[in-house]
Amino acid sequence: MSETTTPLTPEAGAPSAELPAAPQPPGSGATAAAPRGGRGALVRWALWLLLAVVMFLAPVYLPGQYLTVGTWVMTGAVGAMGLTMLVGQAGQLSLAHSFFLLVGGVSYAVLSGDGSDGFIGLHLPTFVALVLAVAITALVGAAFAPVSGRLSGIYLGVASLSLVFLGWYLARSLPSLAGTTSSGRYVEDLHLFGFYFGEKSPSLYVLDVPIGQNERLWWLFATLTAIAYAVARGAVRGRIGRAWRAVRDNEAAATVMGVSVVRQKAIAFAVSSSYAGLAGVMVVWWYDGLLKPDEAVDSGTYSTSVAIAYLAMVVIGGVGSLGGAILGSAIVFGMPLILPLLTQGDGSGINAVSGTDFSPVVITNLIYGALIVLIIVFEPGGFAGLGRKLTARLRRG
Amino acid sequence: MGSSKIARTLAVSTVVLSVALAGCSTKASTSNSGGAPAAGGVKTDVGVTDKDITLGNLTDLSGVFKTLGLGITQGTQMWAEDVNAKGGICGRQIKITSQDHGYSAEKAVPLYAQSKGSVLGYVQLLGSPILAALKKPLTDDKVAVVPSSWASTNLDVPEVVMVGTTYDVEMVDGLSYLLSKGKIKEGDTLGHIYVDSEYGKNGLKGSMSFADAHKMKIVQSAITSTDSDLTSAITQLKGAGVKAILLTTTPAQTASAVGQAAAQGLDVPVFGNNPTFTPQLLQTPAKAALTSGNFITVAGIQPFSSDAPVVKDIATRYKAKYKDTPTFGPLVGYTFGQTWGAILKTACDAGDLTRQGILDARAKTTVDTGGLAPSVLDFTNLGAPSTRAVWLLKPAEVEGGLSLVQPEPYTSDEAKAYKTPFQK
């Protein structure tokens, strides 16, 4: 393979809908990453800037509950970007994403915890704990290589599902690491250079708005999402991404070209799980520092249903597309949270609801299910496919 | 052609526009009216105006506990109407705003963020995963909350106002009753099937403590809340020669356990914690086993079918107002309301209806529920359950599916001596 350098930074990038990396046509190979003319680059720069300004100012306008929804969507987006690389780029099915979330969360809790209340904690600085937690999750993902190297498709999916059961069992049997199923364990939010992201009584004001925990977490999560996106984009467009696609499209051909199939599969699993690890740390922060193992394997924060939700994000967004993963998270993680907020705003009237009626939450679940079916039936390429069609039409017209 | 210009204009105008708009953000810090004495000399902060006191109700109206959530919600609503008809509390009317989280912690977190700015406290918070997720925010915000879960391990903070006794004390009372009736003896081996969660572990704490005191042996069988077939657990207990079965399980698991015990010829008394039974179980094949007299359970509230005047009054009005099948939910909800009412009155007398004022009042309040609860509820001892008395119940073909085993409440000496984890 020839050594090509591709920019890792998103400056030459396009906004989400324009993302290439179309996985459907086999043999499509790498996508051109060469910056197109100065004008296009400028437009894209301006759009990125616009996005940055919007994301920076959003906490000033949005009430706390919508910030909470936003940070949850970003958490899902980071995890889904990892999974979309694994599924869409490297062609490996995984149903173990929620297990890697748990590994990330537990690692962070053990590394950053102060060891009080009978929990094991190394009391490392929170930022170091974050970095190490991501690294540990990557290693755990790579350790799955003996399995991922031998299996593919639905066989790999089912094999990886066992990890969720394993994680669920281990988390409950090791309460000194993961906290008890009753009350979990609490760890600190990130603090960096004396700046506390979990600040409850803020002294910082932006445009006369007090910047408390919700606002700070929004900024933190947005930054982490942006970094995750930039790195993923670099990987997808670079040599790693080409190797992944070669493995995905034809393992024999990839071997002939000198790509080590087993190694690339292991790398894909490691990268994907490191994203899930980061998302797992974000989950702990989102819950105000609470890490709590699930009480059942099929419901809760690290359950099989969450693993399937991540797969749904990837499919809705368009398999292999990073921007699509973010949109998928907005639908799968965001919608069930935002609809109850909008429909039961002041809480009046709900007392008239009978237990068998269509309550806002029931309607939310119906819309969510219907949307997945509609997207798969009418646009198998997901939102990324829609976006590509739209931009193509705009260019033509 | 001019796209770069457009882009630049777009970017610059956005920045300018947003900065300008930010001046009118509704989130901008305004003068904080917190703690200011309002009309009538009562201090208020969140959720209280001169006319209203607003309480929140964060419950499950669409998930696995929707029947219970709906019943409790209706009960609290009935309480609020009764209070308002009598002129309210502290000269203010009670308003309850309800939100449905569908038994999902992820949904509950933003819903709490939405309602916390407009309510004084929560008259109901349903679900132990939800309580776990919100416990720290509730403590940080000093918001008093009545949870619909009764694990004594949650009594470590003053914000949690638990109405009725806890699962461990229920278990001690139940075992003591079986012992006093000669259904079990000192030195017996007992089997305890429990859901491996906050709920089940708290029940186990009670049975272990009782077994220690009476030289009994507990054979533990941990299951998960979604297990539906308890055949192997019952086989295991039968093999161990247990003299009684203790259940801290879900209702469906109760049906499976009781049915299997009957099928395997394990004819021993079965005692279940309060959440192990719902009236719907009497429509299942387990009905015969449940009504055979082997199964008893307890509750911190009178059954719907009770002859007590207070229950009859509420039950009659409930059936006139709502069309849903009666459960113990409405009575539980009514007691939740009575507890808030007593705390609000204490706070009003102290001239402080702030959130801190509510927590201070809680520590001075005892609640007379007029006979709904088995005793006066005493909240003055933080960390201890508000009562150690229970109503002993057995399944029966009556409204609500349960009838009293004996007309008096039951409190065992062991329960009085039992020390809950955070008792001072």
Side-chain angles (χ1 to χ4, degrees):
Chain A
M1 275 192 76
S2 65
E3 188 75 55
T4 8
T5 45
T6 10
L8 269 156
T9 39
E11 47 247 59
S16 51
E18 236 188 300
L19 247 196
Q24 276 77 28
S28 58
T31 9
R36 274 165 282 148
R39 196 184 299 151
L42 252 178
V43 175
R44 263 170 277 148
W45 260 105
L47 285 169
W48 279 116
L49 187 69
L50 181 78
L51 184 68
V53 171
V54 168
M55 291 303 276
F56 179 77
L57 285 177
V60 179
Y61 296 99
L62 287 178
Q65 64 267 29
Y66 295 106
L67 295 179
T68 312
V69 176
T71 43
W72 188 240
V73 168
M74 292 186 237
T75 306
V78 169
M81 281 193 271
L83 190 61
T84 209
M85 281 191 278
L86 184 71
V87 177
Q89 298 288 332
Q92 308 289 296
L93 183 62
S94 166
L95 279 167
H97 223 53
S98 54
F99 165 73
F100 294 112
L101 290 183
L102 180 63
V103 172
V106 171
S107 307
Y108 176 77
V110 170
L111 294 166
S112 71
D114 57 6
S116 61
D117 301 333
F119 299 121
I120 296 172
L122 302 179
H123 206 34
L124 296 176
T126 48
F127 181 71
V128 178
L130 165 68
V131 174
L132 286 179
V134 173
I136 289 172
T137 325
L139 287 177
V140 174
F144 194 59
V147 178
S148 64
R150 278 176 180 78
L151 300 173
S152 60
I154 192 71
Y155 302 103
L156 179 59
V158 172
S160 62
L161 187 61
S162 65
L163 289 179
V164 180
F165 286 81
L166 185 71
W168 174 71
Y169 173 77
L170 287 178
R172 286 168 2 123
S173 348
L174 302 168
S176 56
L177 292 179
T180 64
T181 45
S182 315
S183 45
R185 67 180 288 185
Y186 282 98
V187 283
E188 279 177 83
D189 285 336
L190 183 70
H191 45 91
L192 210 52
F193 310 116
F195 187 80
Y196 283 79
F197 285 93
E199 182 63 63
K200 288 281 160 29
S201 40
S203 51
L204 174 71
Y205 288 83
V206 170
L207 302 165
D208 212 23
V209 173
I211 300 299
Q213 187 187 27
N214 285 336
E215 289 80 8
R216 290 171 191 220
L217 278 188
W218 173 280
W219 286 343
L220 173 65
F221 280 34
T223 312
L224 289 175
T225 311
I227 294 171
Y229 178 78
V231 172
R233 200 177 157 77
V236 166
R237 294 191 156 197
R239 186 182 170 190
I240 298 179
R242 281 196 299 280
W244 284 346
R245 286 185 293 272
V247 170
R248 175 194 71 195
D249 294 337
N250 190 330
E251 290 190 10
T255 315
V256 170
M257 284 193 296
V259 176
S260 162
V261 172
V262 174
R263 188 159 164 264
Q264 287 307 328
K265 283 184 174 178
I267 291 177
F269 250 96
V271 170
S272 160
S273 41
S274 70
Y275 271 69
L278 175 59
V281 179
M282 290 161 82
V283 167
V284 173
W285 287 337
W286 189 79
Y287 274 121
D288 225 348
L290 173 70
L291 171 77
K292 183 178 170 293
D294 295 329
E295 289 170 7
V297 75
D298 48 5
S299 67
T301 318
Y302 309 101
S303 58
T304 49
S305 61
V306 171
I308 292 164
Y310 271 102
L311 213 57
M313 289 180 205
V314 167
V315 171
I316 289 176
V319 185
S321 157
L322 296 173
I326 298 173
L327 252 170
S329 172
I331 288 173
V332 175
F333 264 23
M335 216 176 66
L337 267 56
I338 208 124
L339 280 184
L341 283 180
L342 296 174
T343 47
Q344 42 194 43
D346 58 352
S348 61
I350 201 169
N351 290 329
V353 168
S354 166
T356 48
D357 276 352
F358 281 113
S359 68
V361 174
V362 172
I363 294 168
T364 305
N365 294 341
L366 284 177
I367 295 178
Y368 164 52
L371 203 63
I372 293 184
V373 173
L374 287 176
I375 287 172
I376 290 174
V377 169
F378 292 107
E379 182 50 70
F383 276 105
L386 272 179
R388 273 192 294 274
K389 277 185 190 160
L390 209 67
T391 39
R393 185 156 300 172
L394 282 177
R395 286 227 176 95
R396 245 182 283 130
Chain B
M1 205 168 44
S3 58
S4 66
K5 234 181 228 166
I6 293 170
R8 224 173 303 152
T9 328
L10 200 70
V12 170
S13 55
T14 315
V15 175
V16 173
L17 200 69
S18 358
V19 171
L21 273 173
C24 4
S25 166
T26 46
K27 285 181 80 185
S29 60
T30 43
S31 57
N32 222 334
S33 56
V42 176
K43 275 207 301 181
T44 62
D45 52 8
V46 188
V48 182
T49 66
D50 289 349
K51 291 194 186 72
D52 297 314
I53 297 172
T54 309
L55 299 175
N57 176 33
L58 198 48
T59 188
D60 177 9
L61 296 175
S62 55
V64 284
F65 287 107
K66 69 178 180 186
T67 315
L68 178 62
L70 183 70
I72 297 180
T73 303
Q74 290 162 338
T76 53
Q77 199 60 39
M78 283 179 73
W79 163 77
E81 284 159 17
D82 288 357
V83 166
N84 290 342
K86 287 182 193 141
I89 293 171
C90 218
R92 293 160 170 86
Q93 295 281 297
I94 304 291
K95 268 178 29 187
I96 297 179
T97 64
S98 297
Q99 291 173 305
D100 169 26
H101 56 56
Y103 205 66
S104 146
E106 283 92 55
K107 289 194 183 88
V109 168
L111 286 171
Y112 170 71
Q114 184 181 39
S115 57
K116 72 172 180 185
S118 57
V119 302
L120 176 60
Y122 289 84
V123 70
Q124 187 202 173
L125 183 84
L126 192 143
S128 58
I130 285 99
L131 179 61
L134 290 179
K135 201 165 163 192
K136 188 151 175 276
L138 286 164
T139 331
D140 288 339
D141 299 333
K142 293 188 185 306
V143 179
V145 54
V146 176
S148 309
S149 53
W150 289 268
S152 60
T153 40
N154 276 323
L155 288 170
D156 54 337
V157 291
E159 282 79 8
V160 174
V161 183
M162 216 173 269
V163 175
T165 199
T166 49
Y167 301 128
D168 45 358
V169 177
E170 281 181 5
M171 198 43 91
V172 171
D173 272 338
L175 283 169
S176 164
Y177 176 77
L178 292 180
L179 187 66
S180 72
K181 291 287 164 193
K183 297 195 172 183
I184 51 173
K185 298 189 300 293
E186 301 256 339
D188 272 355
T189 300
L190 312 176
H192 194 161
I193 306 175
Y194 65 97
V195 178
D196 196 2
S197 70
E198 173 184 73
Y199 162 51
K201 283 176 180 163
N202 204 236
L204 184 69
K205 209 185 269 286
S207 67
M208 296 295 278
S209 151
F210 189 87
D212 269 356
H214 293 277
K215 302 182 186 59
M216 293 175 180
K217 189 171 159 261
I218 300 282
V219 181
Q220 297 181 28
S221 177
I223 53 171
T224 74
S225 55
T226 47
D227 285 346
S228 53
D229 185 1
L230 267 57
T231 309
S232 66
I234 293 292
T235 312
Q236 178 207 349
L237 296 188
K238 193 185 178 203
V242 300
K243 295 290 189 293
I245 299 171
L246 314 172
L247 298 177
T248 312
T249 53
T250 66
Q253 292 168 339
T254 305
S256 174
V258 174
Q260 263 304 315
Q264 297 191 17
L266 185 58
D267 187 24
V268 294
V270 182
F271 174 76
N273 274 101
N274 161 33
T276 53
F277 184 82
T278 63
Q280 285 85 347
L281 289 184
L282 295 179
Q283 271 112 55
T284 67
K287 180 187 164 187
L290 281 167
T291 50
S292 69
N294 270 351
F295 180 81
I296 58 166
T297 179
V298 293
I301 216 77
Q302 287 262 16
F304 200 85
S305 65
S306 167
D307 290 330
V310 60
V311 180
K312 286 206 139 162
D313 172 48
I314 295 174
T316 315
R317 289 191 289 135
Y318 177 81
K319 281 186 283 186
K321 191 168 159 56
Y322 299 103
K323 299 281 167 283
D324 303 276
T325 314
T327 60
F328 60 100
L331 296 172
V332 171
Y334 201 88
T335 331
F336 285 6
Q338 288 175 320
T339 302
W340 259 101
I343 294 175
L344 285 171
K345 278 197 192 100
T346 315
C348 181
D349 292 344
D352 190 354
L353 281 179
T354 63
R355 282 177 172 172
Q356 183 60 51
I358 293 298
L359 294 182
D360 296 344
R362 174 233 146 110
K364 288 183 283 188
T365 301
T366 53
V367 186
D368 179 5
T369 58
L372 281 173
S375 78
V376 166
L377 302 174
D378 178 2
F379 291 98
T380 56
N381 186 354
L382 298 179
S386 51
T387 177
R388 288 167 196 261
V390 292
W391 300 106
L392 291 162
L393 304 167
K394 57 174 191 282
E397 286 233 61
V398 290
E399 271 180 333
L402 284 165
S403 63
L404 286 167
V405 170
Q406 56 179 46
E408 315 81 36
Y410 184 82
T411 325
S412 64
D413 292 334
E414 289 91 343
K416 282 180 201 154
Y418 173 77
K419 213 166 177 315
T420 53
F422 296 102
Q423 190 176 333
K424 283 168 199 123

